[in-house]
Amino acid sequence: MIDLKSQAVWFITGSQHLYGEETLKQVAAHSQEIAAYLNAAKEIPVQIIFKPTVKTPEEILAACKAANDSQDCIGIITWMHTFSPAKMWINGLKILQKPLLHLHTQFNRDIPWNDIDMDFMNLNQSAHGDREFGFMVSRLRIERKVVVGYWQDDLTLKSIAVWCRAAAGWNDWQGAKFVRFGDNMRYVAVTDGDKVEAEYKFGFSVNTHGIGDLVKVINAISDADVDTLIKEYEDSYTLSSALQKKGTQHQSLKDAARIELGLKTFLEDGNFKGFTDTFEDLHGMVQLPGIAAQRMMEAGYGFAGEGDWKTVALVRAMKVMAQGLKGGNSFMEDYTYHFEPNNEMVLGAHMLEICSSIANKKPSCEIHPLGIGGKADPVRLVFDVDGGAALNVSVIDMGNRFRMLVNEVEAVKPKHKLPKLPVARVLWKPMPDMKTGCAAWIYAGGAHHTCYSQNLTSEHLSDFSSMANIEFVLIDKNTNLYNLKNELRWSEVYYR
């Protein structure tokens, strides 16, 4: 995957020469102390790097240029320790291409009631210095996150950490490549979209390779490499008797391993960060990639079925954002409903490809007929998923804009065995309730494919949407359909 500690956020403090050298020395010392504290905070997954105080338009422009040019810089945090006249920031902000967080804090937590004098007031002017800066960012219509609070408070650190994770996901998209084997599933609308506009808006590219390009690589995989991977399967999963060495379908396990190794080789050689395929286009393949897609996702690649390249990119971004957090992220699909009164739930699953990072225990490696696709029975990992707070996220192409839709859900610990359902699965209750949550999703045009997350919050996705400058729609415990429908109507007016 990615080591988030290799990523850096620059801490840039604004001031001016008006206050004299002694005050500027104090500004620099305080800024260094804050940056060092943030950098050492266990909540923050990236490096926080102190940068010298900017005091003139030229210094601000140079700092923004340097941030743009830095491979390691994924965003900047700004803070106005004193008053920094905001016209100085215009040219720098105009060219800034990295995400921006405005930290509205001050060095001292408390007012020193007995000692406060005008020297203290001249130094500690964040209360109005940040307002001056904030006006200019708003005047230039620049998206950013504003975090208010003392820099050592847990809630402040948490909010900065969320933004840093979103910035890491956004940075990972810049220049990313995703591959689509074959085309979109025939006649399906929501999984397709404008790939040219997506590359312009999001920074990643999606290009198609014929399935034959992949089959050629799969067929070149050695038997020795296949045997090595099968040993890994045996160590990691509970193999069904049919797939074991003396089982009647052990060859199918070998075929599945060869497909996984071929996919891995193809993605590594092409520097791709994710892929999609469709069961309608498998010419030359023995079986649909099942365990291969599941394991590639767990390794950090984006995946979605049926040509859905937008969800491929989303899964990858959410995996990067969640790196190091407990729990997982997976391609998901709302499959069927449970309408028991006062206990309504969604059963999420897919034909094969749910990431084992969200499994509640050691998965079972099994083989079963698929019923569609006209290929041999595919090997897959079967497991349940624990209960707890979770999210379903969808990115859709509305024609004149992209929309990110997030539904907060409560996963339900499984109470039934489901012995005849041979796929990975998860149960959840949509917020605020089944009727409202599902209706809201449909009114907003949400896709049937999502990324299901156990460890990200709606704040992560809201910050990410701001960086992408796309519409963000949240369905949570406070949602009611009257307000949501109005929100969607107002968005239509805004985006026209």
Side-chain angles (χ1 to χ4, degrees), residues 429-447:
K429 295 184 176 185
M431 295 290 140
D433 56 71
M434 184 82 159
K435 289 181 173 61
T436 305
C438 292
W441 189 271
I442 290 172
Y443 277 122

Side-chain angles (χ1 to χ4, degrees), residues 128 162 224 231 289 291 324 351 359 401 403 456:
H128 67 287
V162 166
K231 179 65 168 62
I291 189 173
M351 297 182 300
R401 67 192 185 277
R403 170 182 289 166
L456 296 179

Side-chain angles (χ1 to χ4, degrees), residues 11 20 27 66 91-92 114 174 189 194 213 317 405 447 464 480:
F11 189 89
V27 167
N91 287 331
N114 293 326
Q174 307 313 301
D194 188 338
D213 294 343
L405 183 60
F464 188 87
N480 70 71

Side-chain angles (χ1 to χ4, degrees), residues 194-397:
D194 188 338
K195 296 191 291 296
V196 174
E197 181 65 17
E199 186 164 353
Y200 169 73
K201 193 73 177 174
F202 298 134
F204 63 74
S205 65
V206 181
N207 288 291
T208 297
H209 280 260
I211 198 70
D213 294 343
L214 174 59
V215 169
K216 183 178 178 181
V217 178
I218 291 171
N219 291 340
I221 298 298
S222 72
D223 291 341
D225 287 341
V226 168
D227 291 340
T228 299
L229 183 54
I230 287 178
K231 179 65 168 62
E232 185 176 329
Y233 291 169
E234 292 169 344
D235 293 340
S236 302
Y237 315 116
T238 302
L239 263 62
S240 65
S241 57
L243 293 176
Q244 294 174 12
K245 286 185 178 179
K246 295 183 180 180
T248 56
Q249 292 177 291
H250 183 65
Q251 182 59 46
S252 295
L253 188 65
K254 287 188 173 184
D255 294 337
R258 195 178 302 277
I259 290 170
E260 179 183 336
L261 291 167
L263 266 169
K264 184 173 185 290
T265 300
F266 193 100
L267 296 179
E268 288 177 347
D269 289 350
N271 196 29
F272 294 109
K273 293 181 177 180
F275 72 101
T276 179
D277 57 21
T278 171
F279 60 85
E280 291 179 326
D281 190 357
L282 294 174
H283 184 71
M285 293 186 66
V286 177
Q287 57 180 265
L288 184 69
I291 189 173
Q294 293 176 293
R295 284 171 51 84
M296 295 301 286
M297 266 191 288
E298 185 161 18
Y301 288 94
F303 173 80
E306 300 150 20
D308 186 357
W309 52 269
K310 296 188 298 299
T311 304
V312 171
L314 179 64
V315 170
R316 167 66 186 192
M318 290 175 66
K319 283 185 172 290
V320 171
M321 283 189 262
Q323 183 72 7
L325 297 178
K326 183 180 179 181
N329 291 267
S330 175
F331 170 57
M332 187 58 67
E333 181 170 278
D334 298 58
Y335 229 96
T336 195
Y337 290 148
H338 183 67
F339 274 131
E340 178 188 356
N342 301 315
N343 190 35
E344 296 169 312
M345 292 180 287
V346 177
L347 176 63
H350 202 254
M351 297 182 300
L352 301 170
E353 310 100 340
I354 302 300
C355 179
S356 45
S357 67
I358 65 172
N360 65 351
K361 60 182 180 181
K362 186 176 183 179
S364 173
C365 183
E366 303 177 11
I367 182 168
H368 301 276
L370 185 59
I372 56 177
K375 292 292 179 179
D377 299 345
V379 176
R380 82 289 302 272
L381 300 176
V382 178
F383 52 84
D384 291 311
V385 178
D386 274 336
L391 294 176
N392 269 311
V393 187
S394 173
V395 172
I396 53 177
D397 185 344

Side-chain angles (χ1 to χ4, degrees), residues 66-287:
N68 288 343
D69 292 341
S70 171
Q71 293 290 322
D72 297 329
C73 177
I74 63 171
I76 67 170
I77 296 174
T78 56
W79 172 50
M80 307 303 118
H81 193 328
T82 63
F83 196 81
S84 178
K87 285 176 67 175
M88 297 195 304
W89 286 86
I90 292 175
N91 287 331
L93 291 173
K94 275 170 56 178
I95 68 156
L96 183 65
Q97 297 171 339
K98 298 294 174 79
L100 171 64
L101 183 146
H102 181 189
L103 179 58
H104 186 41
T105 191
Q106 62 185 27
F107 181 72
N108 58 295
R109 193 193 70 175
D110 304 323
I111 293 174
W113 305 106
N114 293 326
D115 300 320
I116 188 169
D117 56 17
M118 285 311 300
D119 287 339
F120 180 93
M121 296 284 273
N122 282 333
L123 175 62
N124 298 284
Q125 297 187 50
S126 302
H128 67 287
D130 277 328
R131 283 171 166 78
E132 167 76 358
F133 176 78
F135 161 75
M136 185 52 67
V137 184
S138 295
R139 174 66 178 79
L140 295 176
R141 273 66 173 183
I142 294 173
E143 288 287 342
R144 83 286 201 187
K145 182 172 188 174
V146 178
V147 175
V148 179
Y150 186 55
W151 49 280
Q152 293 184 6
D153 284 351
D154 290 342
L155 289 177
T156 301
L157 293 173
K158 180 181 177 182
S159 199
I160 294 171
V162 166
W163 177 86
C164 289
R165 288 186 175 278
W170 177 247
N171 183 70
D172 187 72
W173 264 12
Q174 307 313 301
K177 295 166 58 183
F178 300 100
V179 59
R180 184 162 70 163
F181 295 112
D183 204 347
N184 193 56
M185 185 178 172
R186 297 180 194 117
Y187 303 113
V188 177
V190 75
T191 53
D192 215 340
D194 188 338
K195 296 191 291 296
V196 174
E197 181 65 17
E199 186 164 353
Y200 169 73
K201 193 73 177 174
F202 298 134
F204 63 74
S205 65
V206 181
N207 288 291
T208 297
H209 280 260
I211 198 70
D213 294 343
L214 174 59
V215 169
K216 183 178 178 181
V217 178
I218 291 171
N219 291 340
I221 298 298
S222 72
D223 291 341
D225 287 341
V226 168
D227 291 340
T228 299
L229 183 54
I230 287 178
K231 179 65 168 62
E232 185 176 329
Y233 291 169
E234 292 169 344
D235 293 340
S236 302
Y237 315 116
T238 302
L239 263 62
S240 65
S241 57
L243 293 176
Q244 294 174 12
K245 286 185 178 179
K246 295 183 180 180
T248 56
Q249 292 177 291
H250 183 65
Q251 182 59 46
S252 295
L253 188 65
K254 287 188 173 184
D255 294 337
R258 195 178 302 277
I259 290 170
E260 179 183 336
L261 291 167
L263 266 169
K264 184 173 185 290
T265 300
F266 193 100
L267 296 179
E268 288 177 347
D269 289 350
N271 196 29
F272 294 109
K273 293 181 177 180
F275 72 101
T276 179
D277 57 21
T278 171
F279 60 85
E280 291 179 326
D281 190 357
L282 294 174
H283 184 71
M285 293 186 66
V286 177
Q287 57 180 265

